[in-house]
Amino acid sequence: MVSQRGRRARVTPDADNAPTAEMPAVAATAEPEAVRAKSIPEAAVARLAVYLRVLSGLAEQGATTISSEELSQAAGVNSAKLRKDLSYLGSYGTRGVGYDVQVLVSQIERILGLTRKHKVAVVGIGNLGHALANYGGFPGRGFPVEALFDLDPDLVGVPVGGLLVSHLDEIPKVCAERQISIGVIATPPTAAQSVCDRLVAGGVQCILNFAPVVLQVPAHIEVRKVDLAVELQILSFHVARRADLAANGNGGGDGGPGGAENGSVNGHGNGMVVR
């Protein structure tokens, strides 16, 4: 077992920030998709997920095309960075027309691996686990919750969100049988590592960890950590900085599409702090 470091793609700063000009539409590159996906910086991947959310909403409203400026405003990122991000997909838009919404949705879904379903297991059916188990938005986005686990005898065998809660000891067996690919850990920190080990033994490839602890995992396992306390501390920093600026007679702030407050796409990886 080795420590999970929250691996990041190695790129120079210019690779993520250099502006690119909007170009006429071109055919998608023949580069193998796995290779192309591997070359995308992690920060850009987080922004692609934001673009997909915006574009999916526009598609539901009947929009067929969108300019880079319109999409960048809706996503809270500058248009040059957006065009750079979309160029990783081999998508450049058409001058004077913009991007085809449905084409972009398909391209981003393909790169993010959303063309197939990823079965999810939630471990720890407390308040957070209950909320995740009952959230109806996961299945429609390709993440059906297929298994629930807890240690509490009052919960084991009880249906939550239409699924029976299984015991923690059954994690390897159930995850293997149901082909679970993503495990969500919503347990106290003292139980998180043991739960993680069971998930890995059951063939789970990716783990979303809500427990405030660093997990030890094999090198091939991907871990994303959601640390709400850290996010609140970051927000506290911005509040304190604004108060200092106001006290010094400086009315400048951090708002706007390129500002530091848009941490979900510019600064803090879609609200997740990786450990």
Side-chain angles (χ1 to χ4, degrees):
M1 304 287 278
V2 297
S3 174
Q4 168 64 20
R5 301 134 313 268
R7 295 177 295 278
R8 297 181 182 274
R10 293 184 178 178
V11 295
T12 61
D14 287 340
D16 189 46
N17 296 318
T20 58
E22 196 159 11
M23 299 170 61
V26 295
T29 176
E31 184 181 7
E33 191 155 301
V35 175
R36 187 162 16 119
K38 187 177 180 180
S39 69
I40 302 177
E42 186 170 332
V45 173
R47 291 191 294 269
L48 287 175
V50 176
Y51 305 153
L52 179 60
R53 183 188 65 209
V54 172
L55 290 164
S56 297
L58 290 170
E60 291 175 359
Q61 297 171 22
T64 57
T65 60
I66 187 171
S67 70
S68 59
E69 288 75 17
E70 291 170 333
L71 182 53
S72 67
Q73 281 192 339
V77 62
N78 69 68
S79 58
K81 183 171 288 187
L82 178 139
R83 290 194 294 270
K84 179 68 174 179
D85 292 341
L86 297 184
S87 73
Y88 290 118
L89 312 179
S91 182
Y92 297 96
T94 303
R95 189 179 298 277
V97 177
Y99 296 90
D100 184 292
V101 171
Q102 289 293 353
V103 169
L104 267 188
V105 168
S106 297
Q107 289 176 325
I108 296 175
E109 285 182 340
R110 190 166 58 250
I111 284 293
L112 294 183
L114 300 178
T115 53
R116 65 182 182 87
K117 293 185 181 298
H118 299 275
K119 296 180 180 180
V120 177
V122 178
V123 187
I125 312 302
N127 291 334
L128 176 59
H130 264 91
L132 294 172
N134 285 288
Y135 178 54
F138 289 147
R141 297 189 180 187
F143 301 97
V145 176
E146 298 282 352
L148 304 175
F149 301 96
D150 203 283
L151 194 61
D152 188 340
D154 291 333
L155 284 172
V156 175
V158 174
V160 175
L163 286 173
L164 291 180
V165 177
S166 302
H167 193 276
L168 292 188
D169 291 341
E170 297 185 71
I171 289 177
K173 176 176 178 290
V174 172
C175 286
E177 289 177 348
R178 301 182 190 178
Q179 298 182 318
I180 303 295
S181 57
I182 298 176
V184 179
I185 298 178
T187 67
T190 53
Q193 184 62 57
S194 175
V195 165
C196 175
D197 294 341
R198 287 175 167 86
L199 289 170
V200 172
V204 171
Q205 303 171 37
C206 303
I207 294 173
L208 181 60
N209 180 29
F210 284 91
V213 64
V214 177
L215 298 175
Q216 308 292 318
V217 298
H220 69 280
I221 302 297
E222 293 292 335
V223 175
R224 297 286 293 183
K225 183 174 193 260
V226 183
D227 195 324
L228 299 179
V230 169
E231 295 303 319
L232 290 172
Q233 289 163 0
I234 292 170
L235 290 175
S236 174
F237 163 77
H238 289 296
V239 171
R241 184 168 65 174
R242 283 172 176 260
D244 289 342
L245 289 172
N248 293 327
N250 186 338
D254 298 317
E261 300 222 349
N262 291 289
S264 60
V265 291
N266 288 326
H268 311 307
N270 201 22
M272 294 183 181
V273 177
V274 184
R275 292 287 184 270

